[in-house]
Amino acid sequence: MITLYGVPGWGSAISELMLTLAKIPYTFIDVDGFDQPGPKRELLKARNPLCQVPTLELENGEIMTETAAIALMVLDRCPDLAPPIGRAERQQFQRLLIWLVANVYPTFTYADYPERWAAEAPEQLKENCIEYRKSLYLWLETQLSAQPYALGREITLLDCYIAVMVTWGPRRPWFEVNTPGLVSVADAVSQRGDLQQVLRDNKLI
Ligand SMILES: N[C@@H](CCC(=O)N[C@@H](CS)C(=O)NCC(=O)O)C(=O)O
């Protein structure tokens, strides 16, 4: 079985939603506190030199990290969780999947630990990253033209990002005012019966 190292509500929640949608069983190891020195950090660092969650240990003992790579792995096992090949929505799925991890996710890397990257002006870096992230979410909102999920009537792995990221900064009240489409997608995910337990475990509902 897959072992998933994570923290409830953090990026590991994105991969938990993906695995749950695909009905792939996993064991969750809570590494809360891993971003500070201590045994949890050592445990994670031995598996992932970047010391980030999610980190997965697969059935064959291999390590898998990066939510987008995890999404691709899940799609190998459960292709229905992306639009079918040949449809325009599939290209949009591919584009937005990589766009999220290439652009939005790094704003957390820098804003969550600004002192690592700008010891002289951490608050400025944090503020700039958060403003940039808002501009990214405003653009993402313009890409939504379907309902109830981001790419149409069927859920895709892209929706897992939206459901979790809407609970992070700049926080739900900002999303409600500025990106109601993203909130609507997150709410549609939250209402799914097959995700209730994992959503609760991650304090997403
Ligand atoms: N590119 C990675 C980013 C993962 C990531 O940044 N996770 C955050 C938690 S939500 C983390 O572990 N942060 C700790 C750190 O970067 O030191 C992915 O898509 O999985």
Side-chain angles (χ1 to χ4, degrees), residues 10-11 34 50-54 66-68 101 105 109 113 116 168:
W10 290 41
F34 77 89
L50 290 185
C51 212
Q52 292 183 329
V53 293
E66 301 299 326
T67 50
V101 295
Y105 225 141
T109 306
Y113 306 95
R116 278 186 204 163
W168 297 347

Side-chain angles (χ1 to χ4, degrees), residues 1-4 15-17 19-20 24-28 198 202:
M1 193 184 306
I2 291 176
T3 304
L4 192 160
S15 61
E16 283 198 76
L17 290 175
L19 293 171
T20 305
I24 299 172
Y26 63 90
T27 305
F28 181 77
V198 65
N202 281 284

Side-chain angles (χ1 to χ4, degrees), residues 159-179:
D159 299 304
C160 300
Y161 285 90
I162 296 173
V164 175
M165 284 180 163
V166 159
T167 69
W168 297 347
R171 302 287 172 199
R172 175 105 185 181
W174 183 89
F175 286 106
E176 281 173 357
V177 171
N178 296 285
T179 60

Side-chain angles (χ1 to χ4, degrees), residues 84-197:
I85 293 171
R87 292 262 300 277
E89 290 85 355
R90 187 169 182 92
Q91 291 155 29
Q92 182 73 336
F93 172 85
Q94 292 165 330
R95 180 185 183 194
L96 294 180
L97 176 69
I98 301 305
W99 183 88
L100 278 166
V101 295
N103 299 293
V104 177
Y105 225 141
T107 67
F108 292 99
T109 306
Y110 302 117
D112 287 353
Y113 306 95
E115 62 289 344
R116 278 186 204 163
W117 316 103
E120 305 299 316
E123 281 310 312
Q124 188 64 59
L125 175 64
K126 183 175 181 157
E127 199 181 308
N128 292 353
C129 284
I130 292 172
E131 287 310 306
Y132 181 51
R133 189 189 307 147
K134 287 179 185 171
S135 75
L136 294 173
Y137 283 135
L138 290 174
W139 178 82
L140 183 58
E141 176 80 2
T142 70
Q143 298 301 298
L144 301 178
S145 56
Q147 281 185 337
Y149 301 112
L151 297 174
R153 291 178 52 201
E154 304 298 331
I155 194 163
T156 73
L157 296 182
L158 199 62
D159 299 304
C160 300
Y161 285 90
I162 296 173
V164 175
M165 284 180 163
V166 159
T167 69
W168 297 347
R171 302 287 172 199
R172 175 105 185 181
W174 183 89
F175 286 106
E176 281 173 357
V177 171
N178 296 285
T179 60
L182 292 176
V183 170
S184 163
V185 169
D187 287 348
V189 174
S190 300
Q191 281 154 23
R192 287 180 66 96
D194 55 349
L195 295 179
Q196 291 304 294
Q197 188 60 52

Side-chain angles (χ1 to χ4, degrees), residues 40-78:
K40 300 282 179 67
R41 187 164 186 82
E42 295 313 313
L43 183 74
L44 194 59
K45 206 164 184 183
R47 288 157 181 80
N48 177 358
L50 290 185
C51 212
Q52 292 183 329
V53 293
T55 294
L56 273 55
E57 228 165 52
L58 303 180
E59 296 93 333
N60 62 3
E62 292 292 318
I63 295 296
M64 173 61 82
T65 62
E66 301 299 326
T67 50
I70 294 164
L72 297 178
M73 181 193 77
V74 167
L75 286 179
D76 280 349
R77 304 186 193 198
C78 193

